[in-house]
Amino acid sequence: MTSGDGVGLRFNILGPLEAWEDGNRLRLGGSIQERILVALLLDTGKVLPVSRLVAAAWAEDPPTTAFHQVRKAVADLRRKIHDGGETLVTDGPGYRAVLGESQLDLSEFNARVHEAKAATAEGRLAEAVHGYRAALALWRGPVLSGSGGPVIEAAATALEERRLAAAEQFSELRLRLGETSELVPDLRELVTQHPLREPLRGQLMLALYRSGRQAEALEEYGRVRELLVEELGVDPGPQLAKVYEGILRESPELAAPRPQPSAAPAPPPPAEAPCTLPYDLADFTGRERELQRLLRFARAADGNSTGVVGIDGMGGCGKTSLAVRTAHRLAAAYPDGQLHVDLRGYAPGEQPVGVGTALDVLLRALGVPAGQIPEETAGRTALWRSTLAGKKLLLLLDNAADAATVRPLLPTSPGCLVLITSRARLVDLDGMEWISIDVMAPAESATLVAETIGAHRVVAEPEAAEELAQLCGHLPLALRIATARLRNRPRWTVRYLADRLRDETRRLDELSLGERSVAATLRLSYQTLNEECRTAFRILALHPGGDIDVYSAAALLNMAGTWETEEILELLLDVHLLQQPEIGLYTFHDLVRSFAHSLWGPDASEESAAVERLLDYYMAATEKACGLLFPGRAARPTGLRESTLPAPDLLDTAQAQAWFTREHTALLSAVTLAARSGYDRHTVCLARNVAFLVNGRGYLDEFAELSNIAVTAARRLGDLELLGVSLSNLGVACWKLGRLKYGIEVAQEGRDVAVLLGDRHTEAHSESTLGLYKSLLGQFPQALSHLENAVALERELSSVRAEAESLTILSALYEQWGRYPQAAESARRAVDLVRQLGQHESELVALTDLAFAHTGMGEYTAADACLTQARALCDESVEPGQVAMTLALSADVADRLGRGEQAGEYAGIALARIRSSSSPLRQAKVKNLVGRFLLRRHEHTAALALHEHAHELASAVGYRSEEAYALLGMAEATEPLRTSASAGHRRAAEELFAAMGVPQGALRG
């Protein structure tokens, strides 16, 4: 199907973009929508981050609103496509296209080419020609007709290369089937389009020669030789020269093939063909993708050599089961036998099987009498290879530990297939294919559990069954042991076993049954390591969580060089005791980590020293990141030694942001590790740094948790200076989460401690925080006193960053109070200060506060200018509540300036972003702002819902100003209904404003 002649949804991108639905052409929008859609379709099934879509949509210099425009474009596309939300899905940080093979011409092209290759490999040439013809017919021109921009053009170039490869194979097959003159026009067209492509030129010469047009064939060679010399300064390659010479000599090798008689059926295999394969599991589950790769490899073997393919993976992941399933599926293709040898490279308490022993077993299996088998290994190797001459045999070499054992067992005659399983890739074996397998996917684990214990037990306890699979780490061996225990103990429920497994200290003991044990399986991999790697394996497991990079590993291992550290990590990766989620990052499987923990001895000094080095490293790295991201932050003595171990080179804010994104989970876990291990000073100081980072991202619950941990550790430590700083941070966290009553207690204690110590920086910060709380509670005169004290102290201390933050709070106080000129003056001063620092997150707040002040004074053009600058600072690193606030006010101002459509867009994005914020204060204010905008549009029902939710949020935490504005909005929204509720809401709002001292004439318009 290439156009709209089918039923359902269909996209065509191999040419101008087309979208069809039930035979009707869809109109998708402008070039931005088309480029975004094509980018998603080119990588169907993969998540593309918004930044990638921005690059696809704009060739260079994307607008500051590019991220918003991408989201809007995706929303527009979803509306124009039936069930568009299921076709273009949001997934984590980006979007993903979800389509079936028949819904996209590119997927259909790939499938048809794959089928044609398989048919070629199996000798079904006519079918292959049909497949290639159908695949190439799907092409209507370049992707997006060559107007897709650099990102899409790069992908289009790669696709064009695949099309040409298919065209060359198509022509080659037609030549092999005897076509001649009918091929010439097609090849001339391709050669005209790609004059320097020698394989096409050679095929054209051959087609002309076989058509009796020898002179034209020779002329073609002359043309391409002249072109290559002019364009590239080279002569034609050896393959094309060989065709030319053959035409000159009228070589018989170039003659068209004669029709071949039907091949006689192969004789049936002898009845005594040996098969020593283990039995195939009846409940073999999953691994379909890997199984198909193995089968494709075997079927693609050309018969001119022995095919060798290896399966590697961690112990217990099911390598042998997969290899046995593959061998049984392929058995019929190897009629001279299917042999299995367990080389016992990782067998507990046993020596690996030697080469001589393995050859003896194999020769006996083939029926060679014992008396004819030589004693020496060299003689057995020669006999083994001569015995296999002319045979088609499948050989499964299981549990291979090294290449030296495998190499003499490999057949040298063509037509055989060798499957190898090993925990580590045998990189010394050349010319073979490797397939790595990991743990099972969650869906495969669920199927395995249902197959082994019965679907009825899973249906009865679905959540427990899912947790059981998670606790087994989706490792097939662990799952089979756990489900076997359930089968053998019918009185046990799935929940009972899951509860037993939840205790990490005994989990490995639970995953043991008879001779099978996860711990024993992992120990075999561990025992293959040298002493240095064993020690590294145990120490690395101290990493508290998240991914391990080379720097944190170097700190744990006390290694001065990253190259040496990476070598250790890669050795552990080779034997699958570590996993690699992406280049440069390493992690432990949960069960492998538990096994490593079980190896620790009673002397914990080595482990304690490693933990301290890791915490020192994270202190140094977070100090560097905070210095870049929060210039002007008050420096605090830590009393800790400085780390001298390698650290990442963080040169700018982008690198610091990327580093924090990657290390986010590990940093949170490191604070917990420090507290758990008794490193209280590390706990307080590292928590402060990480709190800055999570607060900047809007992870407010994490901010509060870190601050609580720091306060507890500081109290244990008895360090009042660190306690004051920690209380100061906790006070900010309580404000952002709307915990106002507790927050005031915290801020007051923090101020008292600071005054006692003479810590004027913390005293100023506490005064600022108290002013913030009092302003939220509507106690404006008290708030003003605190904030004026804070600003004066910070100015005296030359604490520019802190003064700017206090000035933004002061501006917000004046705005709530209706004193808009003073609000503008404070915000303008804050903008000047943060621009001195180059500190974007505070500049965004200050600009938005200044826009609020201008709006209050009716200066909408000035407010719009501030908001334009503020929106340019909004990116993915900014807390979503602050972005929503800026956009909600942008909607209000744009509407007042007559830009209604733009205002609607801002309002929609603001409501979408505020859902990601955990701050009830910002949620309340944003919903009141958008509600007020909707009231001016007479959308009373929608406005009422927003104001009601804002009232619920604000009244719950005591945010008096927004509680009053919510009541006022509810009154105006219900006024058209002429109910008593409207008057009641208005009266309650007026009482609140009066109590706060806000004049009626100074309310927001």
Side-chain angles (χ1 to χ4, degrees):
M1 183 175 70
T2 59
S3 62
D5 54 0
V7 177
L9 184 63
R10 167 78 173 196
F11 294 98
N12 297 323
I13 62 173
L14 302 180
L17 175 63
E18 293 180 348
W20 300 85
E21 193 161 7
D22 296 333
N24 298 313
R25 179 83 176 266
L26 301 181
R27 303 300 173 192
L28 299 173
S31 61
I32 298 302
Q33 284 90 341
E34 287 195 353
R35 290 179 181 180
I36 290 171
L37 179 58
V38 169
L40 290 166
L41 295 177
L42 283 167
D43 281 311
T44 298
K46 294 182 181 179
V47 178
L48 296 191
V50 174
S51 58
R52 174 74 182 276
L53 297 176
V54 168
W58 288 275
E60 55 187 18
D61 298 326
T64 56
T65 58
F67 277 66
H68 300 312
Q69 289 194 45
V70 166
R71 294 189 176 95
K72 179 179 180 295
V74 172
D76 290 342
L77 289 167
R78 284 171 171 168
R79 284 193 295 270
K80 292 172 180 176
I81 300 169
H82 181 65
D83 290 334
E86 297 178 9
T87 303
L88 304 178
V89 302
T90 303
D91 194 340
Y95 299 96
R96 173 166 52 92
V98 179
L99 294 171
E101 182 179 295
S102 63
Q103 292 181 294
L104 178 64
D105 58 357
L106 175 57
S107 299
E108 186 178 347
F109 170 80
N110 291 335
R112 289 184 182 274
V113 168
H114 174 74
E115 291 165 2
K117 287 181 178 178
T120 303
E122 293 170 7
R124 297 180 281 111
L125 302 189
E127 289 182 36
V129 166
H130 177 75
Y132 280 120
R133 179 177 284 112
L136 292 167
L138 295 167
W139 284 77
R140 299 166 292 110
V143 174
L144 267 190
S145 296
S147 61
V151 172
I152 292 174
E153 282 301 313
T157 300
L159 284 178
E160 176 65 10
E161 185 62 33
R162 283 156 61 185
R163 181 184 79 89
L164 286 174
E168 288 172 357
Q169 188 60 37
F170 177 48
S171 300
E172 179 64 28
L173 288 173
R174 292 172 69 185
L175 286 167
R176 286 170 63 180
L177 289 173
E179 289 190 43
T180 54
S181 57
E182 56 267 52
L183 250 176
V184 171
D186 295 341
L187 285 168
R188 280 205 188 280
E189 182 178 355
L190 286 168
V191 164
T192 300
Q193 295 169 355
H194 305 278
L196 296 176
R197 202 163 179 102
E198 293 187 39
L200 290 173
R201 189 80 67 161
Q203 290 171 344
L204 175 58
M205 290 167 60
L206 198 54
L208 288 166
Y209 173 72
R210 289 178 179 177
S211 304
R213 299 154 70 179
Q214 182 180 16
E216 291 181 58
L218 295 173
E219 286 175 4
E220 283 296 327
Y221 183 82
R223 290 193 191 99
V224 73
R225 180 171 57 187
E226 182 178 351
L227 188 61
L228 287 168
V229 170
E230 288 180 1
E231 296 284 337
L232 305 176
V234 297
D235 288 318
Q239 293 297 324
L240 193 60
K242 184 178 178 182
V243 174
Y244 170 71
E245 292 164 5
I247 293 173
L248 281 175
R249 293 185 285 103
E250 297 185 359
S251 171
E253 294 178 2
L254 299 185
R258 297 178 181 177
Q260 297 293 318
S262 298
E272 65 274 10
C275 179
T276 62
L277 296 175
Y279 73 94
D280 191 15
L281 292 175
D283 57 1
F284 180 89
T285 302
R287 305 297 192 201
E288 187 60 32
R289 182 173 59 86
E290 294 89 347
L291 177 61
Q292 291 304 318
R293 278 190 65 189
L294 289 164
L295 296 176
R296 284 197 299 271
F297 174 84
R299 289 165 181 160
D302 58 10
N304 295 324
S305 60
T306 290
V308 185
V309 61
I311 305 169
D312 68 295
M314 68 181 289
C317 68
K319 300 181 294 294
T320 297
S321 297
L322 174 61
V324 169
R325 168 57 61 102
T326 304
H328 279 284
R329 291 279 292 270
L330 293 169
Y334 297 91
D336 295 315
Q338 308 89 40
L339 304 183
H340 168 266
V341 178
D342 187 353
L343 297 175
R344 299 188 174 275
Y346 302 91
E350 298 184 33
Q351 289 295 318
V353 173
V355 176
T357 303
L359 287 168
D360 183 74
V361 170
L362 292 169
L363 288 167
R364 289 172 186 268
L366 287 177
V368 177
Q372 297 180 19
I373 298 177
E375 289 295 325
E376 73 283 358
T377 299
R380 290 181 179 183
T381 302
L383 179 59
W384 163 245
R385 290 174 172 169
S386 63
T387 303
L388 291 182
K391 294 184 182 297
K392 293 196 67 175
L393 181 132
L394 185 149
L395 177 61
L396 171 51
L397 301 176
D398 203 6
N399 286 313
D402 56 67
T405 304
V406 170
R407 194 176 287 110
L409 307 180
L410 299 178
T412 55
S413 55
C416 296
L417 176 69
V418 182
L419 303 174
I420 301 171
T421 70
S422 178
R423 296 194 184 184
R425 288 197 171 187
L426 310 181
V427 294
D428 291 337
L429 291 177
D430 297 327
M432 65 175 291
E433 182 87 2
W434 280 99
I435 294 176
S436 294
I437 63 173
D438 202 345
V439 297
M440 302 183 84
E444 293 178 331
S445 296
T447 303
L448 177 57
V449 172
E451 289 281 348
T452 48
I453 68 172
H456 63 286
R457 297 182 73 175
V458 174
V459 171
E461 300 180 87
E463 293 179 357
E466 182 179 354
E467 185 182 5
L468 178 73
Q470 291 173 348
L471 291 169
C472 289
H474 303 289
L475 185 69
L477 174 61
L479 287 166
R480 287 197 174 274
I481 291 173
T483 54
R485 296 190 73 188
L486 286 173
R487 283 202 314 271
N488 295 336
R489 293 168 175 79
R491 291 181 182 272
W492 282 18
T493 62
V494 181
R495 170 57 59 199
Y496 177 73
L497 179 56
D499 289 343
R500 291 172 68 103
L501 289 172
R502 203 177 293 118
D503 183 352
E504 186 179 347
T505 62
R506 53 184 283 188
R507 187 177 301 162
L508 290 175
D509 295 332
E510 294 289 341
L511 294 174
S512 177
L513 185 67
E515 296 182 355
R516 293 194 297 176
S517 163
V518 171
T521 298
L522 296 174
R523 189 176 297 278
L524 295 173
S525 295
Y526 174 73
Q527 289 173 343
T528 65
L529 302 173
N530 61 32
E531 191 56 40
E532 182 184 23
C533 286
R534 290 185 187 184
T535 302
F537 173 68
R538 297 192 304 269
I539 294 296
L540 287 169
L542 292 166
H543 193 277
D547 297 329
I548 305 171
D549 69 356
V550 68
Y551 300 104
S552 56
L556 281 166
L557 300 179
N558 199 21
M559 301 186 79
T562 55
W563 287 107
E564 297 87 341
T565 305
E566 187 174 24
E567 186 175 355
I568 293 285
L569 293 166
E570 288 292 322
L571 286 171
L572 294 173
L573 180 66
D574 286 343
V575 294
H576 296 279
L577 287 175
L578 283 178
Q579 298 172 320
Q580 190 169 55
E582 59 181 272
I583 293 175
L585 297 178
Y586 305 83
T587 189
F588 279 92
H589 185 277
D590 288 344
L591 296 179
V592 177
R593 185 188 297 274
S594 297
F595 170 70
H597 289 174
S598 73
L599 299 171
W600 295 342
D603 181 8
S605 58
E606 187 179 31
E607 288 84 356
S608 296
V611 167
E612 188 170 1
R613 287 194 303 271
L614 179 68
L615 297 175
D616 287 342
Y617 157 69
Y618 276 133
M619 270 302 305
T622 53
E623 280 286 333
K624 186 78 173 289
C626 287
L628 288 166
L629 294 172
F630 309 106
R633 186 181 76 140
R636 296 283 179 179
T638 64
L640 298 170
R641 68 184 181 190
E642 288 191 20
S643 174
T644 58
L645 293 169
D649 292 326
L650 305 179
L651 302 177
D652 55 35
T653 57
Q655 291 181 355
Q657 290 283 12
W659 179 82
F660 172 58
T661 298
R662 192 182 70 236
E663 296 290 331
H664 179 191
T665 301
L667 290 170
L668 296 175
S669 300
V671 173
T672 303
L673 174 65
R676 187 176 66 241
S677 303
Y679 291 100
D680 288 331
R681 188 167 295 276
H682 285 87
T683 301
V684 177
C685 298
L686 184 57
R688 176 181 182 244
N689 287 353
V690 180
F692 264 87
L693 295 166
V694 298
N695 179 33
R697 293 283 181 93
Y699 304 141
L700 302 184
D701 290 319
E702 292 176 1
F703 181 23
E705 178 64 21
L706 287 166
S707 301
N708 270 312
I709 291 173
V711 167
T712 302
R715 292 191 197 281
R716 271 198 311 266
L717 199 60
D719 188 317
L720 289 180
E721 185 174 353
L722 291 181
L723 176 62
V725 173
S726 302
L727 287 167
S728 180
N729 287 335
L730 180 57
V732 175
C734 291
W735 151 56
K736 291 196 171 185
L737 287 168
R739 301 169 186 170
L740 305 190
K741 183 177 180 181
Y742 177 53
I744 287 180
E745 295 175 5
V746 169
Q748 286 174 338
E749 183 186 0
R751 183 188 59 182
D752 293 344
V753 170
V755 171
L756 180 65
L757 291 171
D759 182 351
R760 304 186 75 199
H761 285 281
T762 302
E763 180 186 353
H765 188 276
S766 298
E767 286 282 0
S768 182
T769 304
L770 284 168
L772 174 62
Y773 279 118
K774 297 296 177 65
S775 70
L776 294 172
L777 292 171
Q779 300 168 13
F780 294 159
Q782 298 96 315
L784 179 60
S785 176
H786 286 299
L787 288 168
E788 286 177 338
N789 288 340
V791 170
L793 265 174
E794 288 156 349
R795 192 167 297 167
E796 181 183 339
L797 294 167
S798 299
S799 184
V800 177
R801 175 190 170 85
E803 183 187 350
E805 291 177 349
S806 294
L807 284 168
T808 60
I809 299 170
L810 182 60
S811 176
L813 166 64
Y814 281 132
E815 190 274 339
Q816 293 175 88
W817 214 342
R819 300 181 178 183
Y820 300 113
Q822 294 96 320
E825 181 184 352
S826 297
R828 201 173 285 114
R829 170 69 178 156
V831 170
D832 292 340
L833 290 176
V834 294
R835 283 180 173 166
Q836 292 175 26
L837 294 169
Q839 182 194 358
H840 281 190
E841 86 281 359
S842 290
E843 184 178 358
L844 172 60
V845 175
L847 283 167
T848 304
D849 286 338
L850 183 54
F852 269 113
H854 283 306
T855 303
M857 293 185 289
E859 298 170 355
Y860 302 126
T861 302
D864 188 47
C866 291
L867 290 167
T868 299
Q869 296 175 62
R871 287 193 301 275
L873 299 173
C874 294
D875 58 31
E876 297 300 311
S877 68
V878 178
E879 194 271 317
Q882 182 59 54
V883 175
M885 185 85 72
T886 301
L887 291 170
L889 183 58
S890 295
D892 184 43
V893 171
D895 185 60
R896 294 176 187 276
L897 292 172
R899 303 197 304 267
E901 183 178 354
Q902 186 184 57
E905 292 177 5
Y906 287 146
I909 299 171
L911 292 177
R913 293 302 294 270
I914 199 61
R915 285 195 289 270
S916 302
S917 174
S918 52
S919 171
L921 307 176
R922 283 178 170 158
Q923 288 184 36
K925 191 163 186 176
V926 166
K927 293 191 175 185
N928 272 335
L929 285 169
V930 177
R932 182 177 68 182
F933 158 69
L934 293 176
L935 281 174
R936 286 203 304 275
R937 289 192 165 196
H938 306 294
E939 297 180 22
H940 294 93
T941 302
L944 179 61
L946 289 174
H947 286 305
E948 285 177 339
H949 193 205
H951 181 261
E952 179 184 344
L953 291 165
S955 59
V957 299
Y959 190 2
R960 293 294 171 247
S961 178
E962 292 308 317
E963 181 183 353
Y965 277 115
L967 285 166
L968 187 60
M970 290 160 62
E972 294 178 6
T974 54
E975 199 167 78
L977 304 177
R978 300 186 181 281
T979 65
S980 59
S982 176
H985 294 325
R986 189 176 296 279
R987 186 165 52 252
E990 289 170 352
E991 290 172 358
L992 274 173
F993 282 125
M996 290 184 288
V998 181
Q1000 285 295 312
L1003 299 181
R1004 295 174 194 154

